[in-house]
Amino acid sequence: MPHILGPAPPPRPLRVAVLVTPATNASTACGMVDLFSGVGRSYERLTGEDPTAVSLIDARLVTLDGGEAAVSNGIVLAATLPISAYAPGTGTCADLVCVASLAVPADQPVGAPPAVCAWLRQCLAAGSVVASACSGALLLAEAGLLDGGEATTHWGYCAALRQRHPAVRVCPERVLVATGPGGRVVTAGGSASWYDLVLYLVDRFLGAERARRAAKLNLLQWHVAGQLPFASLSATAQHGDRAIRAAQDWLAENYRAPHSIASMLSRSGLPERSFQRRFRAATGLSPLDYVHALRIEEAKQMLETTEMAVDAIADEVGYEDPAFFRRLFRRHVALTPAAYRRAFARPAPTLNHSRGSGMSRDEPEPAPKTS
């Protein structure tokens, strides 16, 4: 029985423009082009289903002027087109515009050229789907595409996105978020979730079977647990509130202690309402949520590096009720403590010389026997 491929192939290849700026991560931009370009061709040729199959997607790198792009880590990308090649109203507007992840400090604006931001707005207005991977959401936010809607980004940039663009509802737990008119603004979370983004977009434009084939061919798996299991409290935004910074420094050593919030408040010398307001403004969390987050972060480390029982870990980080700890952990991390340990405490796999030899690549060859 033939595979059901969903929608019929479009009359022309889908036009996909992957935007490149000086801050772009080359691996994400080029990876997107590779993965998109193989849809309809690579799986079909490899399996022999259709040796003459051609790609259903025409994916290109684009820059402001079409010239070579020196991107992050000293990599230079060539063979790019100018964004004007996909200008709305010319008959060659991109069906899909993707912004790759950006290597930018979380505490600084992206600073995209106004012409790039205007082009993104024009593409969306003309009917294009506009998507971002990881920190690329910051560029969409600077262009005004996320105002009034939901968005996600790498967990390390969520606080910055929330603080610099308060009109955006940031969803740090989600890997993919579609918002805007017709759900045509799509954001993806942490770095490797660009795979999820491309597969979602292939499914959206060409059907689920094409997306499954791309996933099988490239050994890709969806980040079904979201990105909370990978998040770290170290991503809280930098700030200049000395009183709150002093409270954070004290709490870092004393978060296990009972009544830690009352102790922080007393040490700060601030009225309670002022302390609560300034703490949330500085960290993005209430004092209580911050204490819980610190304790959960320590519990994650212990699950990764020790064999302590979960109940013992709960007590070690400050929770007398193990059941409450388990519920809280799952709410923060989207996994149970046991599932988190299974996922992140496994030893790294070793490479064997031959099946069943049990010998790692790093182990020396045994000395030859002598008679």
Side-chain angles (χ1 to χ4, degrees):
M1 182 176 179
H3 289 288
I4 300 175
L5 295 179
R12 58 166 175 77
L14 290 170
R15 299 189 189 105
V16 176
V18 179
L19 180 65
V20 175
T21 73
T24 293
N25 282 311
S27 60
T28 305
C30 295
M32 283 181 162
V33 171
D34 283 344
L35 190 50
F36 276 127
S37 298
V39 173
R41 178 190 65 198
S42 299
Y43 181 94
E44 289 74 10
R45 290 186 179 184
L46 186 65
T47 60
E49 179 181 303
D50 184 357
T52 63
V54 296
S55 178
L56 299 177
I57 301 177
D58 179 17
R60 306 291 186 93
L61 299 176
V62 300
T63 60
L64 177 59
D65 60 6
E68 286 187 343
V71 296
S72 65
N73 299 321
I75 298 172
V76 177
L77 298 179
T80 60
L81 294 173
I83 58 175
S84 60
Y86 294 99
T90 63
T92 59
C93 185
D95 301 295
L96 169 62
V97 176
C98 291
V99 178
S101 58
L102 307 173
V104 293
D107 59 348
Q108 297 179 19
V110 174
V116 168
C117 293
W119 177 71
L120 290 171
R121 292 192 294 268
Q122 291 163 5
C123 289
L124 181 64
S128 302
V129 171
V130 181
S132 68
C134 191
S135 49
L138 297 175
L139 197 159
L140 297 192
E142 286 193 9
L145 271 62
L146 301 179
D147 288 348
E150 295 182 334
T152 190
T153 185
H154 188 286
W155 52 261
Y157 290 89
C158 284
L161 179 59
R162 186 181 293 112
Q163 287 192 337
R164 290 209 293 272
H165 303 280
V168 180
R169 296 189 298 277
V170 181
C171 305
E173 75 283 1
R174 293 167 66 180
V175 169
L176 293 171
V177 173
T179 190
R184 288 188 292 106
V185 180
V186 186
T187 52
S191 301
S193 63
W194 72 263
Y195 294 122
D196 301 76
L197 176 63
V198 172
L199 293 176
Y200 164 80
L201 293 168
V202 171
D203 183 352
R204 180 164 171 167
F205 279 97
L206 297 172
E209 180 60 26
R210 298 289 185 190
R212 279 194 289 269
R213 290 183 173 198
K216 288 179 181 179
L217 181 69
N218 295 279
L219 307 184
L220 303 179
Q221 292 182 326
W222 294 90
H223 290 88
V224 292
Q227 60 176 352
L228 289 184
F230 306 92
S232 168
L233 190 63
S234 63
T236 52
Q238 299 296 313
H239 60 83
D241 192 324
R242 293 185 178 181
I244 301 305
R245 174 59 64 192
Q248 289 177 274
D249 291 343
W250 178 86
L251 189 63
E253 301 296 329
N254 297 276
Y255 61 85
R256 299 177 182 85
H259 313 300
S260 54
I261 296 175
S263 296
M264 275 199 302
L265 175 61
S266 175
R267 294 170 66 87
S268 73
L270 297 171
E272 181 176 359
R273 291 184 66 179
S274 294
F275 178 79
Q276 293 274 353
R277 174 179 54 79
R278 287 170 59 174
F279 197 98
R280 181 179 288 277
T283 68
L285 299 171
S286 71
L288 178 60
D289 287 340
Y290 192 87
V291 170
H292 285 322
L294 274 177
R295 291 176 172 179
I296 294 299
E297 188 69 17
E298 179 64 16
K300 287 165 63 178
Q301 297 295 321
M302 297 174 73
L303 288 164
E304 292 172 21
T305 60
T306 76
E307 297 182 357
M308 289 178 62
V310 171
D311 288 5
I313 290 176
D315 183 70
E316 181 69 19
V317 299
Y319 296 108
E320 296 180 357
D321 183 350
F324 175 78
F325 166 73
R326 284 180 166 84
R327 291 195 300 272
L328 188 70
F329 190 96
R330 184 162 191 169
R331 187 161 71 243
H332 276 252
V333 185
L335 295 173
T336 66
Y340 183 88
R341 171 172 272 165
R342 287 194 298 270
F344 294 99
R346 295 172 180 168
T350 58
L351 296 177
N352 293 334
H353 283 295
S354 60
R355 182 177 299 175
S357 70
M359 184 180 296
S360 164
R361 291 285 189 189
D362 296 327
E363 294 175 350
E365 293 280 0
K369 294 181 179 181
T370 57
S371 56

